[in-house]
């Protein structure tokens, strides 16, 4: 393998699951607030596709306004969890650049961007959507679980240079989510449909599911990965 992980800070520490055969595709998956990449690396193990490498980076530890400025893993600061809450615009943009650096690194190492899926849960899903929609590299797909679109008022303008205005997006949400209500997910899907062909957006909800994941949802993620990243 060529390339140096140390030049991409998030990659140096990330949990990486190597393929069990020649790697021809990559899934980058971002965890939620207060978590680490380990939990989602475990979840990815249960839906592994043999020719795919999974990268689960850890967010930096920063003070989070929403949690009384306590320091915890967070991709950017959070002031609130409603569609009209103030947002950490500089932090969101900085975090997106750090994720784009991982994508660029994988491309330099021989995986074309259209063989890369970017996904995440909650705050990580939010960052995945924002990064993909402001990224010039065309990705294979985007997965957003229990999440929202950050800086939503800046779209569609913010996506003007994006290579992902026709990239398939899988959004999943628990119907009993009290942290990020399912209505917020539905509003996000509707917003995306204003500048992405509606047929490219799949929004699935799961009765009884809280702010977490479930086996049916993980199966949907696996099917999406296999469809967008077929064996070559």
């Amino acid at each position: 393998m060529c390339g140096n992980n140390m030049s991409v800070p998030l990659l140096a520490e990330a949990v990486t699951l190597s393929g069990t055969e020649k790697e021809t595709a990559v899934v980058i998956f971002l965890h939620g607030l207060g978590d680490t990449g380990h939990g989602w690396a475990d979840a990815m193990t249960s839906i592994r596709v043999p020719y795919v490498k999974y990268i689960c980076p850890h967010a930096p530890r920063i003070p989070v306004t929403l949690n009384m400025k306590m320091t915890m893993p967070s991709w950017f600061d959070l002031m609130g969890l409603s569609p009209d809450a103030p947002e950490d615009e500089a932090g969101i943009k900085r975090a997106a650049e750090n994720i784009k650096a991982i994508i660029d690194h994988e491309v330099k190492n021989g995986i074309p961007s259209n063989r890369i899926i970017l996904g995440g849960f909650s705050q990580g899903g939010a960052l995945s959507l924002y990064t993909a929609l402001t990224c010039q590299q065309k990705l294979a797909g985007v997965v957003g679980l229990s999440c929202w679109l950050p800086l939503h008022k800046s779209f569609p303008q913010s996506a003007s240079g994006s290579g992902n205005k026709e990239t398939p997006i899988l959004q999943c949400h628990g119907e009993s989510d009290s942290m990020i209500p399912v209505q917020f997910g539905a509003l996000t899907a509707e917003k995306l449909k204003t500048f992405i062909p509606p047929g490219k957006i799949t929004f699935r909800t799961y009765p009884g599911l809280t702010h977490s994941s479930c086996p049916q949802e993980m199966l949907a993620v696996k099917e999406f990965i296999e469809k967008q990243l077929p064996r070559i």
Side-chain angles (χ1 to χ4, degrees), residues 77 105 109 126 147 155 182 203:
D77 193 15
H105 183 273
N109 279 339
C147 71
F155 289 91
V182 67
F203 181 55

Side-chain angles (χ1 to χ4, degrees), residues 137-154:
Q137 306 252 37
K138 172 145 180 59
L139 301 173
V142 187
V143 175
L145 309 182
S146 311
C147 71
W148 68 96
L149 176 61
L151 305 177
H152 61 94
K153 293 187 182 76
S154 74

